[in-house]
Amino acid sequence: GLRAFFRADYEGAERLLAPLAPRSPAARLYLAYALGGRHLLARDGREELLARARAEYAAAILAGAPHAPGARVSPAIAALFESKEAR
């Protein structure tokens, strides 16, 4: 799943990470990032992807995933999850 994410294969990452997400905060976090990547690449914006990405992100953080995305996550993807206060 992570290899697919870092290759920008966001659909593949989603497929591989979704089954792991309920048990792993890190998998759920990268699932959120993959959904965010799909949202950014979609021609029509795919707002349902963004809503799902943000819900997965919130669940990952509540489960203990780190808040900081790290240097290997695109700044454009990371920006989707910034709090409104930080913008």
Side-chain angles (χ1 to χ4, degrees), residues 20-31 56 59-66:
L20 303 173
R23 300 183 309 278
S24 170
R28 178 161 266 154
L29 181 66
Y30 278 90
L31 172 60
E56 293 290 353
I61 297 303
L62 283 174

Side-chain angles (χ1 to χ4, degrees), residues 43-79:
R43 291 179 188 250
D44 62 359
R46 302 288 306 268
E47 293 304 314
E48 72 277 3
L49 285 174
L50 181 57
R52 184 170 164 225
R54 287 181 171 158
E56 293 290 353
Y57 179 84
I61 297 303
L62 283 174
H67 288 266
R72 296 186 66 194
V73 174
S74 161
I77 291 174

Side-chain angles (χ1 to χ4, degrees), residues 32-33 35-37 39-40 50 53-54 57 74-83 87:
Y33 292 154
L35 292 166
H39 163 76
L40 290 173
L50 181 57
R54 287 181 171 158
Y57 179 84
S74 161
I77 291 174
L80 296 172
F81 304 101
E82 291 178 354
S83 67
R87 289 182 192 167

